[in-house]
Amino acid sequence: MAQPNIPNVPGNDPGSPKPMPGIVSAAVWIQYATAAFLVLSALAFFAVKSSVEEALQEQLPKSSDFDGMSEAKRQEVMDAIPTFMTMFFVVIAAIYIVFAVSYAILAVFNSKGKNPARILSWILSGIALLCCGLPQMLSFAMPDSMTGTGENAEFDQVITEEMEAQIPAWLNVIDWVSLLMLTLGSILIIIFLAMPKANDYFRKETPPPNYMQ
């Protein structure tokens, strides 16, 4: 049987990749940008770790609550500062890195039109929206909650104030940009990947019928 003449139009060739719509491209680049700023924030936190640690070691002995402690307790608190600071910054940086790697990997697969990556992007963006208060916790909630000395108001206040004072303005800018990417960026990712043009791009194509006999 003669083979019918099938017009050679864009999209008829099952081997050719589908062109990526602009909205999908925008979502992908938002994911890359978010990942970049999260990595930058994680590195920046470690850049100020030493100065914050030194400030705490200098200021804590000046508080009245510290004076009321026994000598053994004072030494225990001072010895715990390096460990506390390392754990604090490692936890913050680890969360940022996990989000950054996840965004970057999903961006790669979204650019290739993989629908599971789109679904996971919706899930990750939703989680990011719920956790977008994390950068603010660095300056406000975390210092009080992690010291375990909430009954000593002045002691807690010294820790909080010194940690805030040693965080430079440029780090706050990076942190707020990361927060913005995690909120507005995640909203845009969810919307862009749900639009009709994105649906067409991520839709699995069925193989063309075989006209050969």
Side-chain angles (χ1 to χ4, degrees):
M1 178 181 294
Q3 182 178 0
N5 185 19
I6 303 177
N8 186 17
V9 296
N12 276 356
D13 183 3
S16 62
K18 291 185 289 186
M20 182 165 56
I23 53 173
V24 176
S25 179
V28 167
W29 281 109
I30 290 174
Q31 288 180 309
Y32 280 133
T34 301
F37 273 102
L38 289 175
V39 171
L40 190 60
S41 293
L43 296 177
F45 286 141
F46 276 105
V48 301
K49 173 182 174 295
S50 296
S51 60
V52 175
E53 183 177 322
E54 292 175 0
L56 286 179
Q57 291 174 331
E58 179 181 351
Q59 296 299 325
L60 283 181
K62 298 179 181 179
S63 67
S64 59
D65 289 327
F66 194 87
D67 292 336
M69 296 179 182
S70 64
E71 186 63 31
K73 182 63 175 178
R74 294 178 188 175
Q75 189 62 43
E76 179 183 347
V77 170
M78 297 302 294
D79 292 342
I81 289 177
T83 302
F84 161 69
M85 294 304 303
T86 299
M87 291 181 59
F88 175 74
F89 283 99
V90 165
V91 169
I92 297 297
I95 294 175
Y96 279 9
I97 293 297
V98 168
F99 270 95
V101 172
S102 300
Y103 270 106
I105 292 176
L106 290 176
V108 172
F109 286 101
N110 280 329
S111 66
K112 297 180 179 180
K114 304 299 183 180
N115 196 52
R118 179 171 68 149
I119 297 173
L120 291 175
S121 294
W122 286 331
I123 296 174
L124 180 65
S125 296
I127 295 174
L129 287 173
L130 294 176
C131 300
C132 66
L134 180 61
Q136 294 176 327
M137 292 172 64
L138 174 65
S139 299
F140 300 104
M142 296 297 286
D144 288 336
S145 63
M146 293 186 67
T147 57
T149 56
E151 68 277 5
N152 299 321
E154 183 182 351
F155 195 80
D156 294 341
Q157 184 177 2
V158 170
I159 294 176
T160 302
E161 290 178 352
E162 287 305 317
M163 292 188 71
E164 292 177 350
Q166 296 302 319
I167 295 177
W170 59 265
L171 178 53
N172 285 327
V173 171
I174 294 175
D175 213 22
W176 278 107
V177 172
S178 299
L179 175 62
L180 185 64
M181 297 300 296
L182 281 174
T183 51
L184 296 181
S186 294
I187 293 174
L188 291 176
I189 289 170
I190 293 173
I191 294 175
F192 288 168
L193 294 181
M195 296 184 72
K197 288 185 178 180
N199 292 334
D200 294 338
Y201 181 68
F202 286 97
R203 183 178 297 115
K204 185 177 181 180
E205 288 188 341
T206 56
N210 187 4
Y211 293 99
M212 298 296 293
Q213 296 292 335

